[in-house]
Amino acid sequence: MKLLTIAGTRPQLVKVAAVSRELRKHFTEVLVNTGQHYDYNMAGVFFEQLKIPKPDYDLGVGSMTHGRQTGNMIIKIEEVVEKEQPDAVVVYGDTNSTLAGALVASKLHIPVLHIEAGLRSFNKKMPEEINRVITDHVSELLFSPTSLAVENLKKENITEGIHQVGDVMYDAVLYNLKIAEEKHSLDEFQLSSKSFILGTIHRAENTDNKERMSAIIDAFLRLDYKVFLPLHPRTKNKLESYNLLNRLYDSPNIILSEPISYLEMLLLEKHALAIVTDSGGVQKEAYFAKIPCFTLREETEWVETVETGWNQLIDPLNENLANLINSFELKEYKENLYGDGKSGERIAYLIKEHFSNKKRGKL
């Protein structure tokens, strides 16, 4: 049986590594990298260090408007699918690569297998929300990380092919944190454990809004701790255009950095005192690392992290971010709500079982 896996962003490829290790024990897998994200941290060393399979196809779509990007992906993915004739297409999460792969497969009557199904932010202004909802509704197998994700699907009358398997991202973090600790140390960043706040800002809802960015920067400058802030090129350009960048450079407590690798990020997350982010993935990684997280968004698809008290949603225009961070207290950490780190194994087993039953006419 041949599976065609589609990914295009760094977080997706990290998850691919965790699942492909298991899929390739049972199936032939063809990996397609759409190229939705490209930076120096996604060059060959990224694939080698994380043991990500070398893509069979690099589509090189790159960054552009949502419509153009998705359209170009659909054209190129369809060519690959027609050539490879897979038995099923595997997609991850909620990116434009996910939507493009799901649309191509469903139009060609090829089963779609969606990993991270059922997540909802309930904000349809987010492109990711549209991507994940559409993908769920055309999928034959839906692998959900949590019981809440399963309930979300049922509320939308999706009742078949759902499996709660845990979070493949937890599989990846457990595996890659060991590599990170072997290859990197805090000395590289001139930091010591639990002495700094780690910040990441990249979402357009923040970076494209001068007022929000001013409030966020003001909060960073008023913190009682050092702030390590790797800047996405787009974020850096926006800060410069808003005349905010020099304020960061002039502060002795702010450590600005170029974008860092996934492994470096894992190491810094583990040793941070707290994390301030607008990234969906970093919210979960903070939870896995048992580090308090302050999320610069009005909603999150990872509701469980908020309900347990380890993640707090912040509107920087209406809440005093600096005071919240300066006064936070660690909470009791109960069991991990995202599984046991064996989600990839479960997914491979369930795919094998599903298509065996289908072949025997039991489905």
Side-chain angles (χ1 to χ4, degrees):
M1 179 174 171
K2 182 191 287 188
L3 301 178
L4 191 137
T5 294
I6 296 170
T9 65
R10 186 171 81 165
Q12 283 181 323
L13 288 164
V14 169
K15 296 166 194 169
V16 164
V19 178
S20 287
R21 275 192 293 273
E22 301 303 326
L23 293 182
R24 293 184 179 213
K25 294 176 183 177
H26 308 281
F27 312 106
T28 299
E29 184 187 37
V30 176
L31 177 58
V32 176
N33 175 20
T34 65
Q36 180 172 339
H37 282 182
Y38 184 82
D39 59 37
Y40 71 94
N41 282 320
M42 282 186 56
V45 66
F46 172 75
F47 288 86
E48 292 162 16
Q49 285 184 345
L50 275 60
K51 297 182 172 58
I52 300 170
K54 187 171 184 271
D56 299 282
Y57 295 89
D58 274 302
L59 303 186
V61 172
S63 180
M64 55 188 77
T65 63
H66 285 289
R68 285 196 180 109
Q69 188 181 66
T70 307
N72 281 336
M73 287 175 184
I74 287 172
I75 292 167
K76 294 188 176 187
I77 290 170
E78 186 176 61
E79 292 171 356
V80 174
V81 170
E82 288 176 341
K83 179 181 177 183
E84 291 290 341
Q85 294 292 304
D87 297 290
V89 169
V90 180
V91 294
Y92 289 75
D94 54 20
T95 68
N96 289 340
S97 301
T98 305
L99 177 63
L103 289 175
V104 169
S106 62
K107 293 284 188 180
L108 295 175
H109 308 294
I110 297 169
V112 178
L113 318 183
H114 187 198
I115 295 171
E116 290 190 328
L119 300 178
R120 296 291 183 268
S121 68
F122 302 103
N123 177 3
K124 290 191 176 178
K125 291 181 180 178
M126 294 175 63
E128 295 88 351
E129 184 77 351
I130 303 302
N131 293 346
R132 63 172 75 105
V133 169
I134 293 172
T135 300
D136 282 339
H137 279 267
V138 299
S139 292
E140 184 167 313
L141 285 179
L142 302 100
F143 300 111
S144 296
T146 64
S147 57
L148 181 58
V150 172
E151 289 306 310
N152 288 338
L153 293 171
K154 290 179 179 177
K155 287 175 183 176
E156 295 175 17
N157 293 318
I158 302 172
T159 56
E160 296 183 2
I162 303 170
H163 300 278
Q164 183 179 338
V165 295
D167 195 330
V168 298
M169 195 168 164
Y170 187 45
D171 297 25
V173 167
L174 290 177
Y175 184 87
N176 290 313
L177 186 56
K178 294 176 184 175
I179 302 173
E181 292 176 318
E182 290 170 3
K183 293 187 175 293
H184 299 287
S185 75
L186 289 179
D187 293 340
E188 297 171 31
F189 307 98
Q190 298 181 316
L191 295 169
S192 57
S193 188
K194 308 304 176 188
S195 70
F196 64 96
I197 306 292
L198 176 62
T200 74
I201 314 163
H202 75 278
R203 283 187 180 271
E205 64 198 74
N206 287 318
T207 60
D208 290 355
N209 186 314
K210 182 178 179 179
E211 193 179 3
R212 287 180 73 88
M213 287 302 288
S214 296
I216 292 166
I217 298 309
D218 283 342
F220 282 152
L221 293 172
R222 289 188 287 114
L223 290 178
D224 296 335
Y225 311 96
K226 285 191 178 295
V227 179
F228 186 87
L229 189 61
L231 288 180
H232 187 282
R234 188 173 177 279
T235 304
K236 187 175 182 180
N237 290 338
K238 288 289 185 178
L239 288 171
E240 197 161 18
S241 72
Y242 300 150
N243 294 317
L244 294 171
L245 192 58
N246 284 338
R247 294 184 65 196
L248 294 173
Y249 280 125
D250 291 342
S251 171
N253 279 342
I254 306 293
I255 304 170
L256 295 181
S257 161
E258 295 295 316
I260 59 176
S261 72
Y262 169 69
L263 293 178
E264 290 170 321
M265 190 68 179
L266 284 183
L267 183 75
L268 290 172
E269 288 167 353
K270 179 181 178 181
H271 291 283
L273 185 65
I275 294 171
V276 181
T277 188
D278 56 14
S279 162
V282 173
Q283 291 173 53
K284 270 197 303 176
E285 288 165 355
Y287 177 79
F288 297 154
K290 303 180 183 179
I291 304 298
C293 185
F294 298 86
T295 297
L296 304 170
R297 288 166 53 182
E298 296 177 12
E299 71 286 304
T300 178
E301 55 272 41
W302 304 110
V303 178
E304 298 86 356
T305 64
V306 176
E307 292 176 345
T308 59
W310 282 82
N311 186 9
Q312 186 168 349
L313 300 178
I314 303 291
D315 179 352
L317 295 179
N318 297 319
E319 298 177 76
N320 193 321
L321 175 59
N323 284 354
L324 287 170
I325 296 173
N326 285 332
S327 62
F328 80 87
E329 295 180 4
L330 290 174
K331 297 175 176 61
E332 181 185 359
Y333 191 97
K334 296 180 181 177
E335 82 277 8
N336 187 322
L337 300 175
Y338 293 99
D340 57 5
K342 296 182 179 179
S343 302
E345 289 181 36
R346 290 190 188 90
I347 288 168
Y349 170 78
L350 288 165
I351 293 172
K352 187 176 180 181
E353 182 181 52
H354 176 81
F355 285 97
S356 293
N357 288 338
K358 201 172 180 182
K359 192 173 181 180
R360 292 197 298 266
K362 291 187 177 182
L363 290 176

